[in-house]
Amino acid sequence: MKNKLVKGQKGITLVALVVTIVVLLILAGITIMYTMGENSIFRKAQEAKDKTNQAIKNEQEYMNSIDNMVNEYLNGIGNSGTTGPIDVPIEDIKSDWAAIEKIAKEIAKDDSITSETEEVKVIIDGKRYTIKPGDIFEVEYNGEVRRVRVLGFKHDNLVDQTVYGGTHTKASISFEFLDFMTGDTYMSMNVTNTNENGWANTQMRKDLNGYTTNATAPSGTIGGLGANLNNKSYIKQVKKKYIATYNDASSVTACNDYLWLLAASEIVSSGYQANAYACAITSEGSQYKYYQRVTEEWDENSTERIKKTSKSGSAYTWWLRSSPFSYSNDFCSIYNNGNAYNNGYASNTNGVAPGFCI
């Protein structure tokens, strides 16, 4: 028996079904479009993520540029139009001891600099200074210009460890006179021919520093002949070893000096026998970096060990603070051809080429 629709009975017509399907397809299309299409919510979310990451990157780059600008400003080059510190040649500061003192303070702060350092670079107020052993500077003695040479860095022990600010054990820069400090006015080590009690007891040491006794010298302004140096206020007092008894290697002790003569072991690396340095029986301090490059033996001629009365003056024998191994009336010296073998009576007169530290 066939079913018949009765009045009021609900059903779905083919048209309605088609319309429903079409609507569902439209809705499905819209859903797919917003989830998978060009303007889909997933794509929009990815774009938002990418823009966020780019914004973070841009902000980091901006902060880095600000950091660089600050660093450049602190180095004094922010508005100079340059891309880095300005290099200052030695010639510009060769007699500027206030600038050299600033450089010394920066060296003191740098723990990477040692007595073996070949070259030092420091930046001060946007200017870069480069110094190495062998560089020549100038100092005035009694108003006359004398050349001085860099021996090395952080070699000598300070008496006052607070001179650079903070606490530092080593003097930053060691120098030696390349021209004799007193020119062609030669001096004796002692009035009489004796090396008793070594360097600390010499008349030369007293004359250079203004000391009246061989006791531990007071710290303060340099006196004696040193008071005539125009850089005296920058010179640091250091501890210098010396042989107190000429033939006794165990007699090495130390005294405190502003100006001091070099020892044989600070110049040469060998001597008349094992563990000796030139004619000295033992070491009174290690060889300076500058003299490490000198290849001639201690008893051979060496132009690097020659010193003169002035830049255009004559070469002459110059004193060392070392007592020779076999003589109670002599001190060691370097001959005018750079040979370290020569000894001389303490009352003889030779060139004076002190060392000092800044």
Side-chain angles (χ1 to χ4, degrees):
M1 183 177 181
K2 294 181 179 180
N3 293 327
K4 294 183 179 179
L5 288 171
V6 296
K7 187 177 180 180
Q9 184 177 358
K10 295 182 179 179
I12 186 168
T13 66
L14 181 60
V15 173
L17 179 61
V18 170
V19 170
T20 300
I21 292 171
V22 169
V23 170
L24 291 174
L25 289 174
I26 292 172
L27 291 174
I30 293 172
T31 300
I32 292 171
M33 180 181 67
Y34 277 100
T35 57
M36 303 298 292
E38 286 294 324
N39 296 313
S40 68
I41 57 175
F42 293 116
R43 185 176 292 277
K44 291 295 183 183
Q46 184 62 47
E47 289 179 355
K49 178 182 177 182
D50 292 342
K51 289 180 179 180
T52 299
N53 289 338
Q54 185 62 44
I56 293 172
K57 181 179 178 181
N58 291 343
E59 183 179 10
Q60 185 61 52
E61 290 177 350
Y62 175 73
M63 294 304 295
N64 289 341
S65 68
I66 292 296
D67 188 52
N68 290 337
M69 289 174 62
V70 170
N71 287 335
E72 290 181 353
Y73 178 79
L74 292 176
N75 284 329
I77 60 175
N79 298 317
S80 66
T82 62
T83 58
I86 301 170
D87 287 308
V88 179
I90 290 294
E91 194 68 20
D92 287 0
I93 60 164
K94 65 180 181 180
S95 58
D96 186 351
W97 290 95
I100 298 167
E101 167 76 354
K102 290 181 180 180
I103 294 169
K105 288 182 177 180
E106 292 302 312
I107 291 173
K109 299 174 186 177
D110 191 341
D111 293 335
S112 69
I113 299 173
T114 71
S115 61
E116 293 301 312
T117 298
E118 294 278 1
E119 184 179 76
V120 164
K121 292 180 182 291
V122 298
I123 296 176
I124 302 172
D125 299 329
K127 298 178 181 180
R128 179 165 49 216
Y129 302 90
T130 302
I131 301 178
K132 58 185 181 300
D135 283 344
I136 305 298
F137 292 79
E138 292 180 350
V139 64
E140 289 185 12
Y141 172 76
N142 278 344
E144 296 182 1
V145 174
R146 301 283 188 262
R147 294 175 301 159
V148 294
R149 177 165 58 197
V150 175
L151 289 170
F153 310 104
K154 292 188 177 178
H155 186 104
D156 292 298
N157 293 319
L158 288 166
V159 173
D160 181 355
Q161 298 182 0
T162 66
V163 291
Y164 301 118
T167 301
H168 305 283
T169 61
K170 299 287 187 178
S172 291
I173 315 173
S174 297
F175 293 86
E176 65 170 344
F177 273 80
L178 181 55
D179 303 326
F180 297 144
M181 190 180 85
T182 55
D184 58 4
T185 300
Y186 306 127
M187 296 177 61
S188 301
M189 289 292 285
N190 275 320
V191 176
T192 60
N193 291 325
T194 179
N195 57 31
E196 184 178 2
N197 295 321
W199 159 250
N201 196 45
T202 61
Q203 185 62 44
M204 173 76 77
R205 176 174 178 259
K206 297 171 187 176
D207 289 341
L208 287 176
N209 293 277
Y211 307 147
T212 56
T213 70
N214 65 344
T216 300
S219 60
T221 303
I222 184 173
L225 297 177
N228 298 320
L229 295 170
N230 74 327
N231 68 341
K232 63 182 179 180
S233 61
Y234 303 109
I235 295 177
K236 308 298 185 287
Q237 193 179 38
V238 294
K239 303 174 183 179
K240 300 305 293 185
K241 294 180 179 180
Y242 66 95
I243 299 169
T245 304
Y246 69 96
N247 61 350
D248 184 358
S250 67
S251 70
V252 174
T253 186
C255 57
N256 303 337
D257 291 319
Y258 291 98
L259 295 178
W260 30 268
L261 300 184
L262 273 71
S265 61
E266 293 174 333
I267 299 173
V268 300
S269 59
S270 59
Y272 71 99
Q273 66 178 26
N275 300 318
Y277 298 85
C279 294
I281 196 169
T282 190
S283 172
E284 300 159 275
S286 59
Q287 192 178 30
Y288 281 102
K289 193 64 181 177
Y290 173 77
Y291 282 111
Q292 289 178 16
R293 70 183 66 178
V294 180
T295 58
E296 291 85 0
E297 290 295 318
W298 63 279
D299 56 351
E300 293 180 352
N301 298 350
S302 171
T303 57
E304 300 297 324
R305 297 195 288 254
I306 292 175
K307 296 188 179 182
K308 301 180 178 181
T309 55
S310 65
K311 185 176 182 180
S312 59
S314 302
Y316 201 77
T317 300
W318 51 285
W319 286 116
L320 303 180
R321 71 174 185 272
S322 302
S323 304
F325 71 96
S326 59
Y327 301 102
S328 62
N329 51 7
D330 289 12
F331 278 90
C332 295
S333 56
I334 305 272
Y335 200 53
N336 61 7
N337 58 9
N339 184 315
Y341 187 80
N342 189 60
N343 298 325
Y345 286 128
S347 64
N348 285 355
T349 57
N350 289 324
V352 181
F356 62 91
C357 294
I358 298 295

